[in-house]
């Protein structure tokens, strides 16, 4: 149990249910725990050059979330949109654009943009090719197969 995390979830759910809030766009919101063991729940950006699993926590969170949604326990979904916690939509009607992209690009396994940052410039030559061309976490993920 993490009191800070529980409080944060409660605040988000309360805001969701406020008049004029996100409840106008979505039927419901759930706080689902990933239950990542503490020793695997790592996010240490300052150690990204020395520690291969410096970002293991967010990766395990994604994996757990995908499996939970794919299980059908929380509803019957054929996909989901993951918006990383540090993302802030800046375009009006951005969600309509996301829905349009889904319709225009079906079928797909993953629909998203390739990472295009500069945080890896200092050690770019040492990064495996599979990581160089990875999709950033913000994307639509097909769970139907």
């Amino acid at each position: 149990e993490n009191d800070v995390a529980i409080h944060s979830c409660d605040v988000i759910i309360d805001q969701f249910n406020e008049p004029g809030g996100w409840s106008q766009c979505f039927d419901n919101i759930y706080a689902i725990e990933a239950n990542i063991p503490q020793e695997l729940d790592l996010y240490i950006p300052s150690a990204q050059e020395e520690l291969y699993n410096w970002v293991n926590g967010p990766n395990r969170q994604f994996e757990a979330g995908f499996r939970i949604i794919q299980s059908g326990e929380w509803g019957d979904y054929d996909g989901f949109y993951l918006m990383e916690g540090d993302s802030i939509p800046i375009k009006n009607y951005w969600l309509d654009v996301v829905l349009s992209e889904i319709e225009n690009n079906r079928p797909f396994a993953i629909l998203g943009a390739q990472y295009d940052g500069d945080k890896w410039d200092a050690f770019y030559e040492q990064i495996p090719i599979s990581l160089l061309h990875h999709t950033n976490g913000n994307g639509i993920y097909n769970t139907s197969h």
Side-chain angles (χ1 to χ4, degrees), residues 10-23:
D10 289 344
V11 168
I12 291 168
I13 292 169
D14 289 346
Q15 290 175 347
F16 175 87
N17 291 312
E18 287 177 0
W22 283 92
S23 60

Side-chain angles (χ1 to χ4, degrees), residues 62-138:
F62 169 82
E63 180 184 34
F66 191 100
R67 290 180 191 278
I68 289 166
I69 291 167
Q70 196 173 37
S71 77
E73 181 180 348
W74 295 92
D76 184 25
Y77 301 102
D78 59 1
F80 68 95
Y81 172 57
L82 175 72
M83 185 169 82
E84 293 180 339
D86 59 354
S87 297
I88 300 171
I90 58 172
K91 183 176 185 174
N92 289 337
Y93 304 104
W94 64 273
L95 197 52
D96 293 334
V97 173
V98 169
L99 293 172
S100 177
E101 288 295 314
I102 291 169
E103 292 303 319
N104 293 335
N105 288 286
R106 284 180 190 226
F108 58 84
I110 301 170
L111 182 61
Q114 183 175 330
Y115 175 74
D116 191 29
D118 60 3
K119 291 188 174 192
W120 298 347
D121 289 355
F123 49 95
Y124 186 85
E125 300 297 325
Q126 300 154 335
I127 298 174
I129 196 158
S130 59
L131 187 54
L132 283 177
H133 303 292
H134 81 285
T135 303
N136 75 26
N138 300 295

